[in-house]
Structure formats: structure tokens, C-alpha cells
Amino acid sequence: MRKLMAGLLLFSSSALAGEMYGTITEAGKPVGEGVGVEARCGQTSYPAVKTDKSGAYHLVVQEKGKCQLTVRYKNQSAAIDVASYDEGVQVDLVLELKGKSYTLRRK
């Protein structure tokens, strides 16, 4: 019975959270380790996570719907609107240098 209750509790808490994960590239190559990625969904801001050495990131947000991801790279920031769902969503991103500023688009 305890195992069943623990399993239900784990399932219900994960069902309330949405995940956003993916990779970030620039000029066809991963951005590498330590690039900050943060999310804002509605009125809630989520603290930045850092990419790993392959440019991958993983965020957990509580809200569903429209969110904004912001990437902080080389002393600049670029943002993009994305949607959060009950289940995870893969958001692979591409940083592009336009003039002197970075822009962000989905891959």
C-alpha cells in the first residue's frame, strides 16, 4: 500500500510540472557549457539553468501555456516565445548573430 501511495504521489506531482529541454547551437556547433537559460511563464520567473558541455539544457516549469525562454550568451541576451505543456517539450534553439546582436530561433 505504501508503494502504491508513493507512486501515486510521484505521478501526481510530475503531472503538474512541464519540462522544457533541448540544445542550443551557434553556427552549427553547440554553445558549450555554462550558457544561462531562464524561463518566464505568466507572472512566474524561473531561475537560470546552465547548459552542459554539449549545449543541452533542462528546465521544469509549473505553468502551461505561453512562456518566454531567455538565453544569456557572450554578455548578451536573446529571447523567444514557446509553449509549455503538461508533458515535456523539446525546444532546440539556434543563436544567430545579426549585426552586433544575437537573435534566437527554433531549430
Side-chain angles (χ1 to χ4, degrees):
M1 184 69 168
R2 284 186 190 170
K3 288 181 182 178
L4 176 62
M5 293 303 288
L8 288 173
L9 182 60
L10 178 63
F11 176 76
S12 66
S13 65
S14 65
L16 296 175
E19 295 178 281
M20 290 185 200
Y21 58 90
T23 59
I24 305 171
T25 57
E26 179 196 14
K29 297 179 183 175
V31 293
E33 190 172 12
V35 174
V37 183
E38 59 193 60
R40 181 170 182 84
C41 303
Q43 299 299 316
T44 306
S45 293
Y46 294 90
V49 296
K50 302 290 184 182
T51 55
D52 65 15
K53 63 183 176 183
S54 63
Y57 69 94
H58 179 258
L59 287 160
V60 177
V61 298
Q62 297 301 316
E63 291 81 12
K64 293 183 292 185
K66 184 179 175 183
C67 296
Q68 185 177 65
L69 290 181
T70 301
V71 174
R72 303 210 183 275
Y73 184 68
K74 294 187 177 179
N75 296 318
Q76 293 189 35
S77 63
I80 189 169
D81 289 336
V82 297
S84 172
Y85 302 97
D86 282 334
E87 291 153 18
V89 60
Q90 185 168 353
V91 184
D92 292 321
L93 299 170
V94 177
L95 279 163
E96 296 177 324
L97 191 58
K98 304 266 183 173
K100 294 182 180 184
S101 299
Y102 280 99
T103 62
L104 199 55
R105 67 172 175 85
R106 287 186 85 149
K107 188 172 187 179

